[in-house]
Amino acid sequence: MALNPSRSAFSSTCKALRQCRASPAAVAGRSRPFSSSPASRSDAFEDLTWSYQQQQIQQHQQQEQQPRPRWSHTPAKMKGPGFSINIVKDPRRTIWKVNDNPELLDAMYNRLLGPNGENMLPEEVKWLAVTHKSFDQGRRGFNTRLAYFGRQVLALETTRSILVGPASSETVPADPHGREPFQHPALANIDKLSTRQPQDVIDKDKMAMLAVKLGLHNVLRWKPRLPENLEGSGLTVVLNTTIFAIIGAISLQHGAEVAQRVVRDKILKRLGA
């Protein structure tokens, strides 16, 4: 008699398991048919609303997962905690608008490099070449390394243009001790560098004026320290750096021969070299 409660509990458990193992068709046959009562209509509307919301959430997640251009946004992993420890003396100086229109950027490249100049560089590199390290704290990349390489290319080609160009009308002063320098055909053009140096041709002020004529200052991405005084913020240096970076990017993308031709035809001729 003491085991009867345990046996009844065991039989109830087995009966519940048999009901759970019943086929879906049998369960559906025992379910109540669909009713068109107001409560059922409300449930159907709620289900439709929920499915629509889920669809909108999925579309939004898919749009966020789609890769955006590197130049157009700051990577999420490079963003800070949402505040800055820098104390700004004048909040108005923190506001500075830069170009985000690809058509305006392509127009500048066409003026600098000629027709179809916009196609000489990939999209990301075109934006990288005009981005100074002061823009967005350098989180979207900047053109310092491209500028270093482009500066060497420009200096080399400028030196070569001086050596192969006509000799200057200035005469080399005679040696006060009556010494005669060593003469050789391979060294005949070296004396031209004693009267004209590459920095005289590619002067930073001349380069900045050329950049302004090409509209480079309108597409330049940088953050001036003093928005009310761009020259005092280093606009001349930033414009020179950007031109160097474009030359460096072209050299890396197409090779030294194309970069040298661009320097001769698009830079030095416009500077009057």
Side-chain angles (χ1 to χ4, degrees), residues 75-240:
K77 293 184 179 180
M78 298 192 68
K79 293 181 180 179
F83 61 90
S84 176
I85 62 175
N86 295 328
I87 300 176
V88 182
K89 296 181 180 179
D90 190 352
R92 293 175 298 178
R93 291 178 176 175
T94 60
I95 301 175
W96 182 256
K97 176 66 175 177
V98 298
N99 173 58
D100 56 0
N101 186 3
E103 295 181 358
L104 190 61
L105 181 67
D106 292 342
M108 187 279 300
Y109 276 103
N110 289 333
R111 287 191 296 268
L112 173 61
L113 304 175
N116 297 324
E118 60 186 76
N119 299 324
M120 292 193 68
L121 295 174
E123 189 72 16
E124 290 290 342
V125 180
K126 287 192 298 185
W127 288 97
L128 181 64
V130 299
T131 303
H132 189 254
K133 60 184 177 181
S134 60
F135 174 69
D136 196 19
Q137 306 295 327
R139 294 180 296 184
R140 303 191 196 182
F142 46 90
N143 58 9
T144 300
R145 294 184 177 182
L146 290 176
Y148 177 79
F149 183 56
R151 184 186 183 94
Q152 311 309 315
V153 175
L154 184 60
L156 175 61
E157 191 57 31
T158 305
T159 303
R160 185 178 300 171
S161 67
I162 295 175
L163 294 178
V164 301
S168 176
S169 58
E170 299 180 9
T171 57
V172 179
D175 186 85
H177 302 284
R179 295 171 296 184
E180 294 184 1
F182 174 75
Q183 301 292 335
H184 192 275
L187 304 176
N189 293 325
I190 298 298
D191 290 339
K192 297 177 182 179
L193 294 175
S194 61
T195 58
R196 195 180 189 187
Q197 292 291 322
Q199 55 265 27
D200 300 330
V201 179
I202 51 175
D203 180 71
K204 64 178 182 179
D205 294 328
K206 296 180 181 179
M207 294 280 290
M209 292 178 60
L210 174 62
V212 172
K213 290 181 181 179
L214 297 173
L216 182 58
H217 62 292
N218 294 325
V219 299
L220 184 65
R221 300 206 301 176
W222 71 310
K223 174 60 178 68
R225 184 175 63 88
L226 303 173
E228 68 277 5
N229 184 9
L230 298 182
E231 289 295 332
S233 300
L235 178 61
T236 299
V237 177
V238 174
L239 289 174
N240 278 261

Side-chain angles (χ1 to χ4, degrees), residues 17-88:
L17 290 175
R18 286 195 298 269
Q19 291 178 356
C20 293
R21 293 176 181 176
S23 62
V27 175
R30 293 195 300 267
S31 62
R32 187 175 59 181
F34 179 76
S35 175
S36 59
S37 62
S40 299
R41 291 177 181 175
S42 178
D43 294 341
F45 178 76
E46 291 179 357
D47 293 341
L48 181 62
T49 304
W50 182 84
S51 62
Y52 176 76
Q53 292 176 353
Q54 293 297 320
Q55 184 179 4
Q56 293 296 323
I57 293 174
Q58 291 179 359
Q59 290 179 359
H60 182 69
Q61 291 177 351
Q62 290 177 358
Q63 291 177 359
E64 289 185 347
Q65 292 176 358
Q66 290 179 356
R68 289 187 293 170
R70 178 70 169 81
W71 60 266
S72 63
H73 70 288
T74 302
K77 293 184 179 180
M78 298 192 68
K79 293 181 180 179
F83 61 90
S84 176
I85 62 175
N86 295 328
I87 300 176
V88 182

Side-chain angles (χ1 to χ4, degrees), residues 243-262:
I243 293 182
F244 297 154
I246 294 174
I247 296 173
I250 293 175
S251 181
L252 292 174
Q253 186 72 23
H254 299 281
E257 184 177 354
V258 176
Q260 292 170 2
R261 186 169 63 250
V262 168

